[in-house]
């Protein structure tokens, strides 16, 4: 079944709360309002008001960890995870899209607890208008009808979770079905420090590296931007290594051509060459600052390219 290929077991999800930096306040809210009612249903059997929400919306700028939060929520709650690609719901044949939407909820209910995740949900469930294609309008209506059906069964634990950076484009009927809404903003200074420490954990750093200074100069960057900045900084040492590797190979070639030298002299030269051929050096503050400047320059160029 095509939809089943998008199904992920919680044990196979590599992302957990430890993978997410700087969002402890949002994580705590999700633990209390989403995960606790799922894992401890026995505590809430006498109240229909403390059931897990049927819809959760994660909204905020791109690259701030919305998808990671969704996956970590599924892993923490022990929920099966359907990473729904909206393209699988579209079909040129009349009525097939509604059948595919029905198949999603049928599968989710069979394997519950389950989270149906829709990234860029605004591209699928945006504001309806008269210009919508008939098939698209019918698919949206079918999806929302099936979604409403989850609320009639108090024992059903299927959550539709969506992520978007354009919440104002969502249909009001969709927002009503997603009462648990979490804004995931760009990280502030403290959060940038936490993210950088998480990214650089276990990496070989020069003693002079100061992540606090780096975090202060990285204002306006998302978690994804910070990760790319650190990755690019690490590549500078790889380039330096390749230069030293080429120099090492050149010295080896020269040593071969000097076979007339004494064996003692050759042995000493070989030791010198081995000392010269070192492993990757640590990441330096200069590497990180160069990478930061490059990221800023790229952002400026891309933001003004359409002007």
């Amino acid at each position: 079944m095509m939809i089943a290929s998008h199904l992920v077991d919680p044990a196979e999800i590599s992302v957990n709360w430890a993978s997410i930096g700087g969002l402890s306040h949002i994580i705590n809210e999700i633990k209390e309002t989403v995960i606790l009612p799922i894992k401890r249903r026995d505590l809430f059997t006498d109240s229909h008001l403390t059931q897990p929400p049927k819809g959760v919306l994660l909204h905020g700028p791109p690259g701030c960890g919305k998808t990671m939060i969704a996956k970590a929520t599924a892993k923490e709650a022990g929920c099966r995870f359907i990473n729904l690609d909206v393209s699988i719901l579209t079909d040129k044949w009349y009525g097939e899209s509604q059948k595919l939407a029905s198949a999603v909820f049928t599968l989710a209910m069979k394997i519950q607890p389950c989270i149906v995740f829709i990234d860029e949900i605004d591209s699928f469930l945006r504001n309806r208008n008269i210009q919508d294609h008939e098939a698209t309008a019918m698919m949206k209506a079918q999806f929302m009808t099936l979604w409403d059906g989850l609320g009639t069964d108090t024992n059903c634990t299927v959550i539709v979770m969506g992520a978007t950076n354009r919440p104002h484009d969502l249909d009001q009927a969709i927002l009503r079905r997603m009462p648990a809404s979490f804004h995931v903003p760009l990280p502030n200074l403290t959060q940038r420090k936490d993210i950088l420490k998480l990214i650089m954990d276990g990496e070989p750093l020069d003693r002079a590296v100061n992540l606090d200074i780096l975090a202060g100069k990285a204002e306006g960057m998302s978690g994804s931007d910070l990760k790319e900045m650190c990755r690019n900084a690490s590549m500078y040492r790889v380039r330096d290594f390749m230069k030293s590797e080429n120099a090492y190979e050149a010295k080896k070639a020269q040593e071969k051509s000097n076979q007339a030298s004494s064996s003692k002299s050759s042995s000493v030269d070989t030791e010198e060459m081995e000392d010269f051929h070192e492993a990757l050096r640590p990441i330096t503050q200069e590497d990180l600052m160069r990478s930061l400047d490059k990221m800023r320059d790229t952002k400026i160029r891309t933001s003004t390219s359409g002007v």
Side-chain angles (χ1 to χ4, degrees), residues 3 19 23 25 31 54 61 65 77 81 99 105 123 127 157 218 233 259 263 271 273 291 303:
I3 296 172
S19 309
L23 295 175
H25 60 298
K31 286 180 178 179
K54 299 303 180 184
F81 187 80
K99 292 179 183 178
F105 286 94
S123 65
N127 283 315
T157 311
Q259 293 297 326
S263 58
E271 290 177 4
M273 288 195 310
S291 182
S303 64

Side-chain angles (χ1 to χ4, degrees), residues 207-271:
R207 292 182 178 180
V209 168
N210 190 322
L211 296 180
D212 289 349
I213 293 177
L214 188 66
K217 293 182 177 295
E219 185 176 0
M221 296 181 72
S222 67
S224 179
D225 292 335
L226 294 173
K227 185 175 182 179
E228 177 60 22
M229 180 193 70
C230 293
R231 187 200 66 80
N232 191 57
S234 182
M235 293 304 297
Y236 287 129
R237 64 196 184 111
V238 175
R239 295 170 191 169
D240 287 347
F241 174 79
M242 294 305 298
K243 292 177 183 177
S244 67
E245 181 82 355
N246 292 336
Y248 172 71
E249 293 298 331
K251 192 170 183 179
K252 278 180 66 178
Q254 184 180 9
E255 180 68 18
K256 272 189 172 182
S257 68
N258 296 331
Q259 293 297 326
S261 302
S262 66
S263 58
K264 180 179 179 182
S265 174
S266 176
S267 175
V268 171
D269 288 345
T270 301
E271 290 177 4

Side-chain angles (χ1 to χ4, degrees), residues 94-265:
Y94 188 83
E96 286 301 311
S97 292
Q98 292 94 301
K99 292 179 183 178
L100 290 169
S102 178
V104 171
F105 286 94
T106 299
L107 175 62
M109 293 182 72
K110 284 182 178 179
I111 62 174
Q112 60 178 301
C114 178
I115 290 177
V116 179
F117 177 65
I118 309 173
D119 199 6
E120 305 297 342
I121 191 173
D122 57 283
S123 65
F124 170 45
L125 298 172
R126 65 172 60 231
N127 283 315
R128 289 169 289 178
N129 58 62
I130 197 170
Q131 296 178 346
D132 282 350
H133 190 278
E134 181 183 2
T136 302
M138 291 179 66
M139 181 176 63
K140 290 180 181 179
Q142 174 76 350
F143 193 91
M144 287 189 282
T145 300
L146 294 167
W147 193 350
D148 276 341
L150 300 178
T152 61
D153 183 359
T154 57
N155 294 318
C156 178
T157 311
V158 175
I159 298 174
V160 177
M161 183 175 284
T164 180
N165 60 334
R166 301 170 64 93
H168 300 298
D169 287 349
L170 285 173
D171 194 289
Q172 290 299 313
I174 299 302
L175 293 175
R176 180 182 65 78
R177 289 168 172 82
M178 307 185 92
S181 178
F182 303 93
H183 180 229
V184 187
L186 287 171
N188 58 29
L189 176 60
T190 302
Q191 292 167 338
R192 291 196 298 273
K193 290 179 185 178
D194 292 341
I195 293 170
L196 285 170
K197 288 176 182 176
L198 180 62
I199 294 171
M200 303 306 290
D201 183 43
E203 296 291 332
L205 296 179
D206 185 83
R207 292 182 178 180
V209 168
N210 190 322
L211 296 180
D212 289 349
I213 293 177
L214 188 66
K217 293 182 177 295
E219 185 176 0
M221 296 181 72
S222 67
S224 179
D225 292 335
L226 294 173
K227 185 175 182 179
E228 177 60 22
M229 180 193 70
C230 293
R231 187 200 66 80
N232 191 57
S234 182
M235 293 304 297
Y236 287 129
R237 64 196 184 111
V238 175
R239 295 170 191 169
D240 287 347
F241 174 79
M242 294 305 298
K243 292 177 183 177
S244 67
E245 181 82 355
N246 292 336
Y248 172 71
E249 293 298 331
K251 192 170 183 179
K252 278 180 66 178
Q254 184 180 9
E255 180 68 18
K256 272 189 172 182
S257 68
N258 296 331
Q259 293 297 326
S261 302
S262 66
S263 58
K264 180 179 179 182
S265 174

Side-chain angles (χ1 to χ4, degrees), residues 11-63:
E12 297 175 358
I13 299 176
S14 59
V15 179
N16 54 38
W17 295 135
S19 309
I20 304 172
L23 295 175
S24 57
H25 60 298
I26 296 176
I27 290 172
N28 289 334
E29 279 192 66
I30 291 176
K31 286 180 178 179
E32 295 170 358
T33 60
V34 181
I35 296 177
L36 182 61
I38 294 175
K39 297 182 72 173
R40 297 301 307 275
R41 294 187 69 93
D42 57 299
L43 298 177
F44 310 110
T45 54
D46 297 332
S47 173
H48 67 279
L49 296 176
T50 49
Q51 300 299 315
K54 299 303 180 184
V56 176
L57 179 64
L58 303 170
H59 60 96

